[in-house]
Amino acid sequence: FDYSSTTSLTITKASSSTTVTCPPSATYTGSAVEPCSASVSGAGGLSQSLLVSYSNNTARGSSTAGASASFAGDSDHDASNDSKTFSIEGPGFSAPAPTIPATLVGQTSAQQTVTVTNNGNASLVFGAGAVTLTGTSAAEYTIVTDNCSTQTLAANATCTVVVTFSPSSSGSRPASLSFASNAAGSPAAVALNGSGTPPGPAVTSISPNVGPTTGGQRVTISGYGFVVGSTVKIGGTTCGSVVVVNPTTI
């Protein structure tokens, strides 16, 4: 007797294994942080690198960044994917610009305080002489107190710099406080936008500009260069009550 038989075999695809590798943390550099790598392996010698996709990787702080990669599969291997997370660490710099009042030419403004905050999650380090004045009118500003240079600020800690403004001419007198540190984007600049008021005093308007000759009329005088103790005469008569509201208003 002659016996024969036929058997059908189904060959399935081999599995693949995708692996994403990331450090526990990475340092913020001012741009997207991409410290991870990915690869896929499988039977039959499958071994290749993969493109890593990132999420939440553009800012330091409490949020966690993510990295993922996927292998679409091929004629011999099934698809696979993997993902990992990592933290982004680094110091931050935040310092609102001060509001500098208009100042008479030749005079010095009140002291203005600039407060720096480390809004990152790693130490913010300032070296010696880290704070300097730069810009067109830098010579018209003075650093009175520098409590930031040589300091190391922990996360959310602050330091201060105190400046004054002494305009040499009228109009806008722009400059900047420059802070050199280990933060991304260093040196950071804080705008100083003081303006000089022409020396005076000088009157630009009086309201109302008419009144009884017997006096007793309350008036508002606008101009510049007014200081406490100013004497006002109208029609040659000295006014009995003078209140200087500010350098531009009596």
Side-chain angles (χ1 to χ4, degrees):
F1 296 92
D2 183 14
Y3 295 96
S4 64
S5 63
T6 301
T7 301
S8 297
L9 298 176
T10 301
I11 301 175
T12 60
K13 291 183 179 182
S15 63
S16 67
S17 177
T18 293
T19 302
V20 175
T21 303
C22 299
S25 63
T27 301
Y28 182 67
T29 59
S31 57
V33 181
E34 301 181 348
C36 305
S37 62
S39 63
V40 62
S41 60
L46 174 64
S47 178
Q48 65 185 63
S49 59
L50 297 174
L51 179 67
V52 180
S53 297
Y54 292 91
S55 61
N56 268 352
N57 67 326
T58 57
R60 63 203 172 279
S62 58
S63 59
T64 300
S68 62
S70 61
F71 173 62
D74 59 20
S75 59
D76 298 320
H77 302 88
D78 287 328
S80 61
N81 59 74
D82 189 27
S83 63
K84 294 290 191 303
T85 60
F86 61 96
S87 64
I88 300 177
E89 298 183 350
F93 179 96
S94 175
T99 301
I100 302 174
T103 304
L104 282 173
V105 172
Q107 301 296 312
T108 299
S109 72
Q111 294 184 356
Q112 306 296 312
T113 300
V114 176
T115 301
V116 176
T117 302
N118 177 5
N119 61 351
N121 57 358
S123 294
L124 177 63
V125 180
F126 296 106
V131 184
T132 56
L133 288 162
T134 62
T136 306
S137 303
E140 299 176 33
Y141 296 83
T142 300
I143 297 176
V144 178
T145 306
D146 175 6
N147 292 321
C148 290
S149 292
T150 73
Q151 298 300 305
T152 297
L153 301 183
N156 299 315
T158 62
C159 65
T160 58
V161 174
V162 178
V163 299
T164 56
F165 171 52
S166 304
S168 61
S169 59
S170 61
S172 177
R173 315 302 296 164
S176 296
L177 269 177
S178 177
F179 293 80
S181 70
N182 65 329
S186 175
V190 176
L192 301 174
N193 292 315
S195 62
T197 301
V203 175
T204 57
S205 67
I206 301 177
S207 178
N209 58 7
V210 294
T213 57
T214 55
Q217 175 70 53
R218 181 187 179 95
V219 299
T220 298
I221 301 173
S222 299
Y224 52 82
F226 303 149
V227 296
V228 174
S230 295
T231 297
V232 177
K233 291 184 179 183
I234 297 179
T237 301
T238 300
C239 295
S241 176
V242 177
V243 178
V244 179
V245 179
N246 55 49
T248 61
T249 307
I250 293 178

PDB file of all heavy atoms in Angstrom, residues 185-201:
ATOM      1  N   GLY A 185      19.856  81.325  28.167  1.00  0.00           N
ATOM      2  CA  GLY A 185      19.646  82.658  27.608  1.00  0.00           C
ATOM      3  C   GLY A 185      20.440  83.751  28.287  1.00  0.00           C
ATOM      4  O   GLY A 185      20.249  84.935  27.968  1.00  0.00           O
ATOM      5  N   SER A 186      21.325  83.386  29.208  1.00  0.00           N
ATOM      6  CA  SER A 186      22.142  84.390  29.898  1.00  0.00           C
ATOM      7  C   SER A 186      23.056  85.096  28.891  1.00  0.00           C
ATOM      8  O   SER A 186      23.550  84.483  27.948  1.00  0.00           O
ATOM      9  CB  SER A 186      22.989  83.715  30.968  1.00  0.00           C
ATOM     10  OG  SER A 186      23.863  84.626  31.579  1.00  0.00           O
ATOM     11  N   PRO A 187      23.295  86.414  29.076  1.00  0.00           N
ATOM     12  CA  PRO A 187      22.784  87.267  30.158  1.00  0.00           C
ATOM     13  C   PRO A 187      21.354  87.725  29.886  1.00  0.00           C
ATOM     14  O   PRO A 187      20.968  87.957  28.751  1.00  0.00           O
ATOM     15  CB  PRO A 187      23.759  88.454  30.143  1.00  0.00           C
ATOM     16  CG  PRO A 187      24.196  88.549  28.700  1.00  0.00           C
ATOM     17  CD  PRO A 187      24.271  87.130  28.210  1.00  0.00           C
ATOM     18  N   ALA A 188      20.600  87.870  30.974  1.00  0.00           N
ATOM     19  CA  ALA A 188      19.233  88.374  30.889  1.00  0.00           C
ATOM     20  C   ALA A 188      19.250  89.888  31.060  1.00  0.00           C
ATOM     21  O   ALA A 188      20.076  90.430  31.803  1.00  0.00           O
ATOM     22  CB  ALA A 188      18.370  87.729  31.972  1.00  0.00           C
ATOM     23  N   ALA A 189      18.361  90.578  30.365  1.00  0.00           N
ATOM     24  CA  ALA A 189      18.317  92.037  30.416  1.00  0.00           C
ATOM     25  C   ALA A 189      16.994  92.508  31.024  1.00  0.00           C
ATOM     26  O   ALA A 189      15.926  92.014  30.665  1.00  0.00           O
ATOM     27  CB  ALA A 189      18.481  92.634  29.028  1.00  0.00           C
ATOM     28  N   VAL A 190      17.078  93.444  31.950  1.00  0.00           N
ATOM     29  CA  VAL A 190      15.908  94.082  32.545  1.00  0.00           C
ATOM     30  C   VAL A 190      15.901  95.537  32.096  1.00  0.00           C
ATOM     31  O   VAL A 190      16.857  96.280  32.338  1.00  0.00           O
ATOM     32  CB  VAL A 190      15.934  93.990  34.081  1.00  0.00           C
ATOM     33  CG1 VAL A 190      14.743  94.749  34.679  1.00  0.00           C
ATOM     34  CG2 VAL A 190      15.923  92.543  34.532  1.00  0.00           C
ATOM     35  N   ALA A 191      14.835  95.944  31.423  1.00  0.00           N
ATOM     36  CA  ALA A 191      14.774  97.284  30.837  1.00  0.00           C
ATOM     37  C   ALA A 191      14.671  98.369  31.905  1.00  0.00           C
ATOM     38  O   ALA A 191      13.936  98.233  32.879  1.00  0.00           O
ATOM     39  CB  ALA A 191      13.591  97.372  29.888  1.00  0.00           C
ATOM     40  N   LEU A 192      15.423  99.439  31.686  1.00  0.00           N
ATOM     41  CA  LEU A 192      15.344 100.646  32.512  1.00  0.00           C
ATOM     42  C   LEU A 192      14.889 101.772  31.596  1.00  0.00           C
ATOM     43  O   LEU A 192      15.637 102.179  30.696  1.00  0.00           O
ATOM     44  CB  LEU A 192      16.705 100.969  33.138  1.00  0.00           C
ATOM     45  CG  LEU A 192      17.309  99.873  34.031  1.00  0.00           C
ATOM     46  CD1 LEU A 192      18.719 100.267  34.459  1.00  0.00           C
ATOM     47  CD2 LEU A 192      16.433  99.597  35.244  1.00  0.00           C
ATOM     48  N   ASN A 193      13.670 102.249  31.799  1.00  0.00           N
ATOM     49  CA  ASN A 193      13.093 103.220  30.866  1.00  0.00           C
ATOM     50  C   ASN A 193      12.773 104.538  31.552  1.00  0.00           C
ATOM     51  O   ASN A 193      11.617 104.970  31.606  1.00  0.00           O
ATOM     52  CB  ASN A 193      11.831 102.633  30.212  1.00  0.00           C
ATOM     53  CG  ASN A 193      12.149 101.480  29.278  1.00  0.00           C
ATOM     54  OD1 ASN A 193      13.078 101.578  28.485  1.00  0.00           O
ATOM     55  ND2 ASN A 193      11.389 100.396  29.379  1.00  0.00           N
ATOM     56  N   GLY A 194      13.793 105.185  32.080  1.00  0.00           N
ATOM     57  CA  GLY A 194      13.593 106.494  32.685  1.00  0.00           C
ATOM     58  C   GLY A 194      13.488 107.579  31.628  1.00  0.00           C
ATOM     59  O   GLY A 194      13.924 107.417  30.487  1.00  0.00           O
ATOM     60  N   SER A 195      12.901 108.700  32.001  1.00  0.00           N
ATOM     61  CA  SER A 195      12.838 109.851  31.103  1.00  0.00           C
ATOM     62  C   SER A 195      13.225 111.107  31.864  1.00  0.00           C
ATOM     63  O   SER A 195      12.884 111.264  33.039  1.00  0.00           O
ATOM     64  CB  SER A 195      11.441 110.005  30.489  1.00  0.00           C
ATOM     65  OG  SER A 195      10.473 110.241  31.490  1.00  0.00           O
ATOM     66  N   GLY A 196      13.949 111.975  31.186  1.00  0.00           N
ATOM     67  CA  GLY A 196      14.383 113.228  31.794  1.00  0.00           C
ATOM     68  C   GLY A 196      13.400 114.344  31.517  1.00  0.00           C
ATOM     69  O   GLY A 196      12.867 114.461  30.414  1.00  0.00           O
ATOM     70  N   THR A 197      13.142 115.132  32.543  1.00  0.00           N
ATOM     71  CA  THR A 197      12.264 116.294  32.412  1.00  0.00           C
ATOM     72  C   THR A 197      13.120 117.548  32.353  1.00  0.00           C
ATOM     73  O   THR A 197      14.054 117.702  33.153  1.00  0.00           O
ATOM     74  CB  THR A 197      11.302 116.381  33.611  1.00  0.00           C
ATOM     75  OG1 THR A 197      10.531 115.183  33.678  1.00  0.00           O
ATOM     76  CG2 THR A 197      10.369 117.570  33.484  1.00  0.00           C
ATOM     77  N   PRO A 198      12.850 118.450  31.410  1.00  0.00           N
ATOM     78  CA  PRO A 198      13.682 119.653  31.294  1.00  0.00           C
ATOM     79  C   PRO A 198      13.736 120.416  32.604  1.00  0.00           C
ATOM     80  O   PRO A 198      12.757 120.455  33.356  1.00  0.00           O
ATOM     81  CB  PRO A 198      12.972 120.474  30.213  1.00  0.00           C
ATOM     82  CG  PRO A 198      12.172 119.482  29.442  1.00  0.00           C
ATOM     83  CD  PRO A 198      11.755 118.438  30.442  1.00  0.00           C
ATOM     84  N   PRO A 199      14.872 121.044  32.894  1.00  0.00           N
ATOM     85  CA  PRO A 199      14.973 121.837  34.126  1.00  0.00           C
ATOM     86  C   PRO A 199      13.992 123.000  34.065  1.00  0.00           C
ATOM     87  O   PRO A 199      13.652 123.495  32.999  1.00  0.00           O
ATOM     88  CB  PRO A 199      16.426 122.311  34.131  1.00  0.00           C
ATOM     89  CG  PRO A 199      16.843 122.262  32.695  1.00  0.00           C
ATOM     90  CD  PRO A 199      16.101 121.129  32.085  1.00  0.00           C
ATOM     91  N   GLY A 200      13.547 123.428  35.192  1.00  0.00           N
ATOM     92  CA  GLY A 200      12.532 124.476  35.218  1.00  0.00           C
ATOM     93  C   GLY A 200      12.746 125.384  36.409  1.00  0.00           C
ATOM     94  O   GLY A 200      13.890 125.576  36.835  1.00  0.00           O
ATOM     95  N   PRO A 201      11.679 125.872  36.974  1.00  0.00           N
ATOM     96  CA  PRO A 201      10.321 125.526  36.604  1.00  0.00           C
ATOM     97  C   PRO A 201       9.830 126.272  35.362  1.00  0.00           C
ATOM     98  O   PRO A 201      10.354 127.328  35.020  1.00  0.00           O
ATOM     99  CB  PRO A 201       9.506 125.935  37.826  1.00  0.00           C
ATOM    100  CG  PRO A 201      10.283 127.097  38.389  1.00  0.00           C
ATOM    101  CD  PRO A 201      11.721 126.782  38.128  1.00  0.00           C
TER     102      PRO A 201
END
